[in-house]
């Protein structure tokens, strides 16, 4: 088996080192395992991320690359690996042309592109629901993917009922099986909210009124409510016409959090205001007495996608775990920083999503010019303490996904799984950490036969889900 990577000058850090894409799609059995994979750990870890098929047009941003899925199937203490492109319409057009057709976020929109100004890369996240495995990019429609092959079936539109974009972060209620998602747009309606039944039927889509279009990357659910974040990272066609950035963080606008009953609409949403901030990712939300509690990684401003901040804040882009408490009886809001350590990609045991959890997990940011993650933090919200597993010198990872132990009776009984890249050996591996002994050595390290570029979000597909996927 031979593999190769694109050789790219170090001019752009997101096309160099372990950000550099891999071109070859491979399938490898009998991977080397250091340690021992738990016999109860049966399923597939899949992670999505950007992997440009061709050298980019103009300036490249990490968010631009074509989606590539990296999957490790684990069974009987053994592991196999495969990687596949998400074959979107844009990927197919560029594949046939043998070159890039679309420029990226850092370039002006290609209004004269005969295939449309934007490409759905399918590169951000993944969700398994109602027997379907979907690759997601929040600007457009999801793509259905086969398991365990990771082949692209095509766009998935819920029998034509999908009328909005589809968030990269839908939420599945672990008790009811219902899935909630939203779509945002730079044109009215700026926000639409949808629910999908446990059987996979798109039930409703309703508009939610917000004053101006905003980039809304994530949201949250509780047992009875859905929480939207109207944050001041705004789109403006007027700015674009003036030769200014279309996307900008407006520090003079407040942050607004909207809480709507699960099956509600714009008529019964309640809004709470706080200081300007941005939240890329929520960890969880739950109800406690008269309060709805939200936990997420907060930054005070953002220059994402090269968008300028309307104020200067050298610390603005550093995310830290925060908590918001919305009192539905008094209408008051309390905001609290939970940790001063820089961290992102928050996750929980998703069997408890929307309910109060004792534990949460984040990726610990390294002090590097580009976003690299040097470890995983386990938070114990019952006592306000945390523990950290460090990947080691020159070793960086990504989002750690919780895989519950079958039959577990406690919330943290399971494993944290992520890809880690070792800069000294220039190799990638999958690590499996006992979530109840996070400071100990990984129970297993699975050596991957090619480097796995730094990416975005992953998921654990259980053995039962693999069986019923179609």
């Amino acid at each position: 088996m031979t593999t190769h990577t694109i050789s790219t000058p170090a001019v752009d850090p997101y096309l160099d080192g372990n950000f550099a894409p891999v071109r070859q799609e491979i399938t490898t059995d009998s991977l080397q395992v250091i340690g021992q994979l738990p016999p109860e750990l049966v399923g597939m870890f899949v992670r999505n991320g950007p992997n440009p098929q061709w050298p980019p047009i103009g300036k490249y941003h990490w968010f631009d690359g074509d989606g590539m899925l990296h999957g490790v199937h684990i069974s009987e203490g053994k592991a196999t690996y495969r990687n596949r492109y998400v074959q979107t319409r844009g990927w197919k057009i560029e594949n046939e042309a043998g070159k890039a057709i679309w420029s990226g976020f850092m370039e002006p929109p290609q209004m004269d592109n005969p295939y449309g100004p934007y490409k759905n890369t399918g590169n951000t996240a993944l969700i398994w629901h109602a027997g379907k495995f979907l690759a997601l990019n929040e600007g457009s429609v999801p793509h259905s993917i086969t398991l365990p092959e990771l082949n692209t079936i095509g766009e998935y539109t819920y029998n034509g009922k999908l009328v909005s974009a589809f968030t990269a972060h839908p939420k599945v209620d672990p008790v009811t099986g219902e899935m909630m998602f939203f779509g945002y747009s730079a044109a009215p309606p700026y926000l639409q909210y949808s629910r999908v039944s446990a059987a996979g039927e798109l039930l409703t889509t309703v508009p939610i009124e917000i004053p101006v279009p905003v980039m809304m990357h994530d949201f949250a659910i509780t047992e009875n409510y859905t929480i939207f974040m109207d944050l001041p990272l705004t789109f403006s066609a007027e700015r674009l016409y003036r030769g200014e950035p279309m996307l900008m963080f407006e520090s003079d606008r407040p942050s607004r959090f909207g809480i709507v009953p699960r099956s509600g609409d714009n008529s019964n949403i309640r809004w709470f205001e706080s200081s300007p901030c941005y939240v890329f990712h929520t960890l969880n939300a739950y109800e406690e007495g008269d309060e709805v509690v939200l936990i997420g990684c907060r930054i005070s401003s953002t220059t994402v996608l090269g968008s300028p901040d309307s104020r200067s804040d050298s610390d603005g882009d550093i995310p830290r775990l925060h908590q918001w408490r919305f009192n539905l009886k008094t209408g008051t809001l309390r905001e609290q920083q939970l940790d001063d350590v820089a961290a992102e990609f928050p996750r929980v045991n998703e069997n408890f999503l929307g309910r109060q959890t004792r534990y949460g997990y984040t990726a610990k940011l390294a002090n590097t010019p580009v976003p690299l993650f040097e470890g995983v933090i386990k938070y114990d919200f019952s006592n306000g303490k945390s523990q950290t597993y460090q990947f080691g010198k020159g070793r960086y990872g990504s989002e750690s996904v919780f895989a519950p132990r079958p039959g577990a009776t406690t919330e943290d009984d399971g494993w944290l799984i992520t890809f880690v890249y070792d800069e000294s050996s220039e190799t990638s591996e999958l690590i499996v950490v006992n979530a109840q002994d996070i400071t100990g050595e990984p129970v297993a390290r699975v050596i991957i036969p090619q480097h796995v570029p730094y990416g975005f979000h992953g998921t654990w597909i259980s053995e039962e889900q693999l069986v019923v996927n179609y």
Side-chain angles (χ1 to χ4, degrees):
M1 179 190 68
T2 60
T3 64
H4 65 278
T5 62
I6 300 173
S7 178
T8 308
V11 174
D12 190 324
Y14 293 114
L15 292 170
D16 191 44
N18 196 48
F19 286 99
V22 293
R23 277 281 175 82
Q24 190 157 329
E25 298 174 324
I26 66 172
T27 301
T28 310
D29 298 329
S30 302
L31 299 178
Q32 179 188 358
V33 177
I34 300 172
Q36 184 175 3
L37 288 166
E40 315 98 306
L41 185 63
V42 181
M44 190 170 186
F45 175 78
V46 187
R47 202 219 61 203
N48 203 347
N51 195 91
Q53 183 181 188
W54 303 107
I57 297 173
K59 297 177 184 177
Y60 178 77
H61 190 283
W62 192 28
F63 295 175
D64 290 337
D66 299 287
M68 178 173 276
L69 309 180
H70 298 264
V72 177
H73 187 201
I74 298 172
S75 180
E76 298 179 345
K78 299 178 180 180
T80 65
Y81 165 82
R82 70 187 66 213
N83 65 305
R84 298 291 186 271
Y85 276 108
V86 181
Q87 294 192 9
T88 64
R89 169 180 172 267
W91 183 92
K92 291 178 179 178
I93 291 171
E94 292 185 331
N95 183 262
E96 184 175 345
K99 64 178 182 179
I101 300 295
W102 282 270
S103 58
F105 291 114
M106 302 294 285
E107 297 291 335
Q110 294 170 290
M111 304 311 295
D112 58 347
N113 189 319
Y115 302 106
Y118 301 105
K119 178 174 68 170
N120 178 3
T121 58
N123 72 4
T124 310
L126 302 157
I127 191 74
W128 187 99
H129 182 248
K132 299 292 184 184
F133 187 50
L134 305 176
L136 308 174
N137 176 280
E138 66 199 54
S140 189
V141 300
H143 284 77
S144 182
I145 306 294
T146 66
L147 289 171
E149 301 86 5
L150 301 184
N151 295 326
T152 304
I153 298 172
E155 293 184 350
Y156 191 70
T157 63
Y158 292 89
N159 294 317
K161 292 183 179 180
L162 182 63
V163 296
S164 72
F166 194 104
T167 176
H169 294 290
K171 309 298 180 187
V172 176
D173 187 313
V175 176
T176 67
E178 186 178 33
M179 181 173 73
M180 278 56 66
F181 72 88
F182 69 90
Y184 69 84
S185 172
Y190 301 138
L191 175 62
Q192 298 189 75
Y193 167 44
S194 299
R195 293 185 298 120
V196 181
S197 74
E201 180 187 359
L202 204 166
L203 300 173
T204 61
T205 297
V206 296
I208 301 292
E209 293 180 11
I210 55 177
V212 297
V214 299
M215 182 179 178
M216 189 181 298
H217 186 64
D218 202 356
F219 74 134
I221 63 168
T222 69
E223 182 178 358
N224 297 293
Y225 297 98
T226 297
I227 305 168
F228 294 109
M229 299 183 292
D230 176 16
L231 309 178
L233 183 59
T234 66
F235 294 96
S236 171
E238 289 76 13
R239 280 199 302 261
L240 187 63
Y241 294 145
R242 294 195 300 263
E244 300 171 2
M246 185 176 185
L247 185 68
M248 178 182 286
F249 185 84
E250 297 189 58
S251 57
D252 57 345
R253 299 181 67 92
S255 293
R256 302 197 316 147
F257 299 82
I259 300 178
V260 62
R262 170 77 61 84
S263 58
D265 55 30
N266 192 67
S267 68
N268 48 13
I269 192 169
R270 294 186 61 183
W271 291 99
F272 296 76
E273 285 194 4
S274 72
S275 58
C277 70
Y278 197 74
V279 179
F280 275 106
H281 300 113
T282 65
L283 182 141
N284 196 20
Y286 59 91
E287 299 160 35
E288 188 174 42
D290 293 328
E291 293 183 320
V292 169
V293 182
L294 172 67
I295 300 175
C297 292
R298 178 192 187 276
I299 49 182
S300 60
S301 63
T302 181
T303 55
V304 67
L305 307 183
S307 60
D309 181 359
S310 54
R311 64 180 174 185
S312 178
D313 185 354
S314 60
D315 197 44
D317 268 324
I318 299 177
R320 297 180 174 91
L321 201 64
H322 278 65
Q323 179 190 85
W324 294 262
R325 287 183 169 270
F326 310 96
N327 192 304
L328 300 181
K329 187 174 182 179
T330 64
T332 56
L333 163 61
R334 288 185 294 155
E335 180 181 305
Q336 176 188 3
Q337 181 174 304
L338 299 181
D339 196 3
D340 59 1
V341 176
E344 247 293 351
F345 287 165
R347 297 295 294 255
V348 294
N349 178 345
E350 293 193 358
N351 286 334
F352 297 86
L353 189 71
R355 278 74 181 172
Q356 186 169 6
T357 56
R358 176 176 176 178
Y359 303 105
Y361 311 91
T362 62
K364 182 176 183 288
L365 269 164
N367 184 19
T368 50
V370 293
L372 298 177
F373 298 95
E374 62 185 11
V376 55
I377 305 172
K378 176 184 180 181
Y379 291 96
D380 186 337
F381 298 119
S382 70
N383 58 24
K385 296 182 178 180
S386 66
Q387 294 178 304
T388 302
Y389 170 71
Q390 297 281 158
F391 297 137
K393 183 179 179 181
R395 290 166 58 87
Y396 300 101
S398 188
E399 176 184 68
S400 293
V401 173
F402 188 91
R405 185 189 304 272
T409 57
T410 58
E411 181 191 324
D412 65 342
D413 188 5
W415 303 272
L416 294 167
I417 305 177
T418 190
F419 287 117
V420 169
Y421 179 74
D422 189 312
E423 290 189 334
S424 61
S425 62
E426 298 183 344
T427 58
S428 293
E429 59 192 61
L430 182 86
I431 66 166
V432 180
V433 177
N434 182 350
Q436 294 184 321
D437 182 24
I438 193 172
T439 59
E441 288 299 307
V443 298
R445 297 165 53 202
V446 180
I447 307 305
I448 308 299
Q450 65 180 354
H451 87 95
V452 178
Y454 297 125
F456 301 139
H457 301 285
T459 191
W460 173 252
I461 310 298
S462 69
E463 181 181 23
E464 294 77 15
Q465 290 171 331
L466 281 173
V467 169
V468 301
N469 188 75
Y470 59 93

